[in-house]
């Protein structure tokens, strides 16, 4: 059965909610009371170590199989994926290696409800967008690994989906094509799509995901905006740099009563005894404002002074690295 996708398209403001989902395969419990939400016009990073349950919950959302318990809701109503246009990029490649690329993409678009005319137009559009317009009649296995990944991306977007689920989309891409994909993901977000994005490359997640849901052993251990998550961590590590190189021992003695640890960043200094910048871990009773005031009152010429926030990779290891 082919569904008429276009008649089900909704207002761009949508919220997809995973609510209290459990899933077991035989005696192995894969998901335990998993809950999170993703809204249109923003990207959710679905994170976790290998085997944490990310792919399982993606497949439950698309109803490749059902949850044992729990529900998937769209705007507080039961979500029927057949009524919406969904784009799914799996981690494993699933296209036919010895079939022409263009005919495959048109066929997939037709399966997802597009007319032959629209399917062909969208295929040409995406091949051009990805710099592969001359590959329409080529067989998939004649392309490089990176270009095959780009064709997989085209297959997931050829139906102009409302909901986009990307599982390790940067796999096999060189830096130039990674930038191209980043731009496409940002365009999808700006177009009001719901984007769920899974990757082990934390720098990409941090760049364009507003929120994350972190799975550890089948359980959500973190679900919030990246901003709020970072603010919940201690802000006692500060970076300070000066206009002129400073004597390391002199700066160390100046702050000694106020810091727990002290590290000079020697790059660019005139001698081994001097540095332009320093990293300091403040004592519990010392605020960053008080430290800055100390330097200003002592007439140091400061170029930069800021709190060093944890990276998303550090947060990931903190919350999901218990078995390392």
């Amino acid at each position: 059965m082919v569904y008429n996708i276009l008649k089900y398209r909704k207002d761009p403001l949508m919220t997809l909610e995973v609510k209290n989902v459990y899933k077991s395969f035989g005696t192995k419990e894969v998901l335990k009371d998993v809950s999170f939400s993703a809204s249109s016009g923003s990207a959710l990073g679905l994170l976790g170590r290998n085997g944490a349950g990310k792919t399982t919950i993606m497949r439950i959302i698309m109803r490749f199989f059902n949850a044992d318990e729990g529900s998937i809701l769209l705007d507080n109503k039961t979500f029927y994926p057949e009524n919406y246009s969904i784009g799914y990029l799996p981690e494993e490649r699933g296209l036919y290696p010895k079939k022409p690329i263009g005919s495959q993409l048109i066929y997939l678009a037709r399966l997802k409800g597009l007319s032959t005319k629209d399917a062909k137009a969208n295929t040409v559009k995406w091949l051009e967008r990805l710099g592969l317009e001359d590959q329409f009649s080529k067989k998939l296995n004649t392309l490089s690994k990176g270009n095959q990944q780009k064709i997989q991306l085209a297959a997931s977007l050829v139906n102009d989906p409302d909901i986009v689920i990307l599982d390790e989309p940067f796999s096999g891409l060189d830096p130039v094509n990674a930038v191209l994909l980043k731009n496409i993901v940002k365009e999808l977000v700006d177009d009001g799509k719901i984007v769920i994005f899974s990757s082990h490359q934390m720098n990409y997640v941090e760049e364009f995901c507003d929120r994350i849901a972190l799975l550890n052993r089948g359980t959500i251990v973190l679900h919030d905006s990246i901003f709020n998550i970072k603010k919940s961590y201690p802000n006692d590590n500060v970076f300070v740099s000066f206009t002129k190189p400073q004597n390391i021992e002199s700066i160390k003695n100046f702050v000694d009563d106020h810091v727990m640890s002290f590290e000079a960043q020697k790059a660019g200094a005139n001698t081994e005894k001097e540095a332009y910048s320093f990293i300091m871990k403040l004592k519990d009773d010392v605020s960053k404002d008080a430290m800055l005031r100390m330097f200003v009152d002592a007439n140091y010429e400061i170029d930069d002074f800021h709190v060093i926030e944890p990276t998303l990779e550090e947060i990931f290891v903190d919350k999901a690295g218990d078995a390392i």
Side-chain angles (χ1 to χ4, degrees), residues 42-86:
S42 64
L44 173 78
L46 183 60
L47 310 180
R49 299 177 65 187
N50 293 331
K54 303 186 300 297
T55 300
T56 299
I57 193 62
M58 290 177 181
R59 291 174 176 173
I60 288 174
I61 289 172
M62 294 179 287
R63 203 170 286 182
F64 290 178
F65 44 72
N66 293 322
D68 298 334
E69 296 180 42
S71 55
I72 310 297
L73 306 175
L74 186 72
D75 295 338
N76 295 316
K77 298 178 181 179
T78 299
F79 176 59
Y80 297 101
E82 63 269 23
N83 290 347
Y84 296 88
S85 183
I86 299 175

Side-chain angles (χ1 to χ4, degrees), residues 260-312:
M260 297 178 63
S261 64
F262 173 93
E263 180 185 352
Q265 308 292 294
K266 294 182 179 180
N270 294 333
T271 73
E272 285 300 305
K273 295 182 180 180
E274 294 181 327
Y276 280 99
S277 57
F278 303 82
I279 294 175
M280 307 169 194
K281 183 176 180 62
L282 305 181
K283 290 184 177 180
D284 291 342
D285 59 347
V286 178
S287 71
K288 62 182 185 300
D289 293 335
M291 178 62 73
L292 176 59
R293 200 175 303 116
M294 280 177 53
F295 283 115
V296 172
D297 290 345
N299 295 318
Y300 284 99
E301 295 182 19
I302 296 175
D303 272 346
D304 187 16
F305 185 97
H306 66 264
V307 171
I308 302 173
E309 293 183 330
T311 65
L312 193 55

Side-chain angles (χ1 to χ4, degrees), residues 31 34 36 43-55 57-58 166-169 196-226 229 311-317 319-320:
L31 300 174
V34 169
F36 62 86
L44 173 78
L46 183 60
L47 310 180
R49 299 177 65 187
N50 293 331
K54 303 186 300 297
T55 300
I57 193 62
M58 290 177 181
L166 306 174
D167 194 355
E168 294 293 345
I196 299 175
F197 174 88
S198 178
S199 177
H200 288 117
Q201 295 171 277
M202 297 295 108
N203 56 318
Y204 292 135
V205 175
E206 195 160 4
E207 186 166 348
F208 47 71
C209 288
D210 302 300
R211 301 172 63 83
I212 63 169
L214 176 57
L215 275 164
N216 188 27
R217 300 187 180 188
T219 300
I220 294 289
V221 295
L222 203 58
H223 180 220
D224 204 341
S225 70
I226 294 176
I229 290 168
T311 65
L312 193 55
E313 184 173 349
E314 290 170 336
I315 293 169
F316 182 97
V317 172
K319 295 295 185 181

Side-chain angles (χ1 to χ4, degrees), residues 2-41:
V2 176
Y3 295 91
N4 183 358
I5 300 296
L6 296 180
K7 74 176 182 179
Y8 291 106
R9 291 187 67 92
K10 292 173 64 68
D11 193 286
L13 298 177
M14 299 185 292
T15 297
L16 182 72
E17 184 179 7
V18 175
K19 194 170 184 179
N20 307 120
V21 166
Y22 289 79
K23 181 64 180 179
S24 295
F25 295 102
T27 60
K28 182 176 177 58
E29 191 174 33
V30 178
L31 300 174
K32 293 167 279 188
D33 198 21
V34 169
S35 297
F36 62 86
S37 62
S39 297
S40 56

Side-chain angles (χ1 to χ4, degrees), residues 6 9 85-88 95 101-127 130 136 150-164 188 193:
L6 296 180
R9 291 187 67 92
S85 183
I86 299 175
Y88 175 48
L95 298 179
I101 291 165
S103 61
Q104 287 196 68
L105 295 179
I106 292 171
Y107 174 71
L108 291 172
R110 290 284 291 120
L111 284 181
K112 295 175 180 180
L114 270 65
S115 67
T116 301
K117 179 181 178 181
D118 288 341
K120 185 172 183 178
N122 281 8
T123 294
V124 171
K125 180 188 77 172
W126 276 109
L127 289 178
L130 295 167
F136 186 94
K150 289 161 69 176
I151 296 299
Q152 288 278 164
L153 178 65
S156 67
L157 300 176
V158 71
N159 57 318
D160 188 23
D162 298 300
I163 300 166
V164 180
L188 294 171
K193 314 292 188 183

